[in-house]
């Protein structure tokens, strides 16, 4: 199964604040907010939603195709991704802009305040999917992950025109997009990925009810943090997937990306949706236990046994032949 992942490629600057943001937020003064939080740690990591998803798929043994825009400073990052099995030949390199930056501070309640600099990502709207599909012998699924909003709309339109199945994952960009643009991204999607808050935001901005959204996509996947995920396919009963208990919470950044990577890996292996969700839930647990969005590879040799402990012997037996020979 040939899966292309379009979306952001970025460098993450991750900081931790030992207090609680909520203690400094006054509801009546939010329109005049002026705050500074003293961060005690700083980690600079590889990130970007499309790159994170692609990396997660690659360490599970797939060959994802990364489609996005980056700057000349992408060389080392590109080498890292390619070394782990990500096809980066669909990446556009800007001649004038830096690779995007994600600057995020997380407090002790795991609440986050973040700023995103688009940089080269704004040139993603110039990328055509057809040449990538021709080079790869076709595309079975195109993931439309958070990116330059015009790029997201353009890639979605091209998928419809060329008959590519697509997965809508608007995520963080929902806050910046209006109802018509969101409708353009969601309508006719084979898969729609959101968290619980984003699912309500889609309904609010589009004016569609939950039932109307469900009729416009084939399968809707809603992640619910520690409450797991709900997967609803048109005409079928919803499926609930339990989250995997984590040993310790370190940093939630990239957890949703890891879930999507695992889910897509399950699709590529021919798994049913429940198993896909379980594969994603475990990969997400590894991410929340580490700082950074692509730093969990060393823990993966224990993946199968942890999967068995969470979901049982039968579930583990179904995925065991698909897992690569992990190296710590």
């Amino acid at each position: 199964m040939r899966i292309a992942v379009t979306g952001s490629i970025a460098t993450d600057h991750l900081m931790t604040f030992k207090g609680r943001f909520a203690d400094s937020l006054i509801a009546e003064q939010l329109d005049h907010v002026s705050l500074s939080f003293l961060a005690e740690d700083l980690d600079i990591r590889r990130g970007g939603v499309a790159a994170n998803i692609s990396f997660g798929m690659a360490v599970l043994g797939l060959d994802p195709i990364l489609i996005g825009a980056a700057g000349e400073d992408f060389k080392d990052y590109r080498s890292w991704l390619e070394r782990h099995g990500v096809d980066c030949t669909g990446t556009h390199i800007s001649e004038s802009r830096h690779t995007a930056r994600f600057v995020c501070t997380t407090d002790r309640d795991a609440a986050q305040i973040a700023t995103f600099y688009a940089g080269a990502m704004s040139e993603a709207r110039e990328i055509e999917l057809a040449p990538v599909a021709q080079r790869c012998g076709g595309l079975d699924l195109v993931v439309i992950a958070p990116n330059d909003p015009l790029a997201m709309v353009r890639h979605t339109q091209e998928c419809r025109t060329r008959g590519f199945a697509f997965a809508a994952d608007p995520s963080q960009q929902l806050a910046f997009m209006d109802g018509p643009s969101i409708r353009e991204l969601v309508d006719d999607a084979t898969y729609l990925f959101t968290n619980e808050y984003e699912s309500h935001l889609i309904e609010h901005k589009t004016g569609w009810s939950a039932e109307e959204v469900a009729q416009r996509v084939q399968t809707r996947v809603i992640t619910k943090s520690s409450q797991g995920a709900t997967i609803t396919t048109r005409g079928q009963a919803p499926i609930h997937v339990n989250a995997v208990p984590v040993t310790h919470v370190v940093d939630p950044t990239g957890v949703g990306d890891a879930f999507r990577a695992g889910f897509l890996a399950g699709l590529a292996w021919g798994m049913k949706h429940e198993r896909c969700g379980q594969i994603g839930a475990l990969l997400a647990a590894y991410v929340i236990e580490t700082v950074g969005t692509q730093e969990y590879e060393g823990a993966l040799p224990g993946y199968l046994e942890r999967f068995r402990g969470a979901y049982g012997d039968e579930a583990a037996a179904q995925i065991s032949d698909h897992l690569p020979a992990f190296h710590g």
Side-chain angles (χ1 to χ4, degrees), residues 22 52 74 132 142 201 209 236 238 246 253 279 282 287 289 295:
N52 290 339
F74 180 59
V132 178
V142 178
L201 189 57
S209 66
Q236 300 180 20
V246 298
T253 308
I279 297 165
L282 178 51
V287 171
E289 294 168 351
E295 311 302 326

Side-chain angles (χ1 to χ4, degrees), residues 78-151:
R78 179 178 190 143
S79 176
W80 161 269
L81 291 171
E82 290 179 338
R83 179 161 60 84
H84 284 86
V86 178
D87 182 339
C88 295
T89 56
T91 303
H92 166 83
I93 302 300
S94 172
E95 296 180 357
S96 59
R97 295 180 174 92
H98 292 291
T99 301
R101 297 285 189 275
F102 175 67
V103 182
C104 180
T105 305
T106 303
D107 74 359
R108 73 182 188 201
D109 291 337
Q112 296 182 311
I113 295 177
T115 301
F116 189 83
Y117 161 71
M121 191 180 79
S122 61
E123 298 181 17
R125 66 189 68 174
E126 302 172 13
I127 300 173
E128 285 281 333
L129 302 178
V132 178
Q134 292 169 359
R135 175 178 58 80
C136 298
L139 295 173
D140 297 304
L141 183 68
V142 178
V143 180
I144 313 295
N147 200 355
D148 170 71
L150 290 180

Side-chain angles (χ1 to χ4, degrees), residues 1-5 53-54 57 62-66 138-143 263-265 267-268:
M1 186 176 186
R2 293 177 296 274
I3 300 177
V5 184
I53 295 173
S54 297
M57 293 171 64
L62 277 74
D63 302 303
I65 303 160
L66 174 62
L139 295 173
D140 297 304
L141 183 68
V142 178
V143 180
F263 191 98
L264 293 166
L267 289 179

Side-chain angles (χ1 to χ4, degrees), residues 60-287:
L60 288 178
L62 277 74
D63 302 303
I65 303 160
L66 174 62
I67 300 177
E72 288 289 346
D73 54 340
F74 180 59
K75 292 177 182 178
D76 287 345
Y77 192 173
R78 179 178 190 143
S79 176
W80 161 269
L81 291 171
E82 290 179 338
R83 179 161 60 84
H84 284 86
V86 178
D87 182 339
C88 295
T89 56
T91 303
H92 166 83
I93 302 300
S94 172
E95 296 180 357
S96 59
R97 295 180 174 92
H98 292 291
T99 301
R101 297 285 189 275
F102 175 67
V103 182
C104 180
T105 305
T106 303
D107 74 359
R108 73 182 188 201
D109 291 337
Q112 296 182 311
I113 295 177
T115 301
F116 189 83
Y117 161 71
M121 191 180 79
S122 61
E123 298 181 17
R125 66 189 68 174
E126 302 172 13
I127 300 173
E128 285 281 333
L129 302 178
V132 178
Q134 292 169 359
R135 175 178 58 80
C136 298
L139 295 173
D140 297 304
L141 183 68
V142 178
V143 180
I144 313 295
N147 200 355
D148 170 71
L150 290 180
M152 296 172 72
V153 172
R154 177 171 179 174
H155 294 336
T156 303
Q157 291 172 338
E158 187 177 356
C159 284
R160 291 194 186 95
T161 300
R162 302 190 185 280
F164 300 148
F166 67 95
D169 178 21
S171 190
Q172 299 101 323
Q173 295 295 47
L174 288 171
F176 307 102
M177 302 184 78
D178 59 16
S181 296
I182 296 171
R183 293 189 201 107
E184 183 74 18
L185 296 181
V186 170
D187 208 11
D188 293 329
T190 303
Y191 292 92
L192 171 60
F193 291 98
T194 64
N195 62 30
E196 198 165 19
Y197 179 80
E198 292 160 355
S199 70
H200 293 298
L201 189 57
I202 285 176
E203 294 160 18
H204 173 72
K205 286 200 166 188
T206 61
W208 292 335
S209 66
E211 292 74 19
E212 288 174 315
V213 174
Q215 290 302 312
R216 292 176 179 276
V217 302
Q218 183 173 317
T219 298
R220 189 175 188 182
V221 184
I222 302 176
T223 57
K224 302 178 178 180
S225 188
S226 62
Q227 301 303 309
T230 299
I231 305 166
T232 306
T233 298
R234 190 187 306 154
Q236 300 180 20
I239 298 168
H240 179 74
V241 174
N242 290 327
V244 176
V246 298
T247 58
H248 52 287
V249 176
V250 176
D251 185 354
T253 308
V255 170
D257 303 341
F259 177 89
R260 288 149 176 75
F263 191 98
L264 293 166
L267 289 179
W269 296 340
M271 299 285 127
K272 293 184 177 180
H273 288 157
E274 180 181 20
R275 200 69 70 232
C276 293
Q278 292 169 345
I279 297 165
L282 178 51
L283 202 65
Y286 281 108
V287 171

Side-chain angles (χ1 to χ4, degrees), residues 1-12:
M1 186 176 186
R2 293 177 296 274
I3 300 177
V5 184
T6 73
S8 62
I9 301 167
T11 302
D12 291 346

